[in-house]
Amino acid sequence: MKPRLEITYCTQCRWLMRSAWMAQELLTTFEAELGGVTLIPGTGGVFEVRVAGGAVLWSRAERGAFPEIKELKQVVRDAVAPEKPLGHSERKM
């Protein structure tokens, strides 16, 4: 089975569109590696991306910011497809 991601977003803050766009970007980039992305409504300023049933990959509360899409793709790649090249989104070392 392919890993699934969950994006929990704050409905009070109206972050649905941002979360849906990020889900679309992740599904496009990792179409062969992911089994899906689920959007989960939350409250209280929450924004988290996690592997379903597993590790938190991005937490706005912990990092103090939303991810740039390049950053998010890199942390997702590192978790679900470490050998996948990201082309122009690749980390600069």
Side-chain angles (χ1 to χ4, degrees):
M1 285 194 36
K2 297 177 185 177
R4 299 180 56 83
L5 297 180
E6 298 173 346
I7 299 176
T8 304
Y9 66 94
C10 180
T11 57
Q12 296 166 311
C13 302
R14 305 281 188 225
W15 290 338
L16 173 59
M17 294 299 290
R18 180 188 302 235
S19 301
W21 173 74
M22 288 185 176
Q24 175 187 330
E25 286 289 318
L26 293 172
L27 287 168
T28 300
T29 301
F30 300 100
E31 61 186 21
E33 293 82 13
L34 289 177
V37 177
T38 301
L39 299 178
I40 302 171
T43 59
V46 67
F47 181 83
E48 284 189 348
V49 179
R50 69 173 59 238
V51 176
V56 174
L57 303 178
W58 191 279
S59 169
R60 182 179 167 273
E62 289 177 12
R63 296 188 187 226
F66 282 99
E68 294 293 327
I69 197 63
K70 176 180 175 177
E71 292 174 296
L72 186 57
K73 287 180 181 182
Q74 289 171 349
V75 297
V76 168
R77 184 270 313 271
D78 292 349
V80 303
E83 301 301 318
K84 181 177 181 68
L86 292 177
H88 70 278
S89 292
E90 197 68 56
R91 276 190 187 103
K92 302 286 188 224
M93 297 292 180

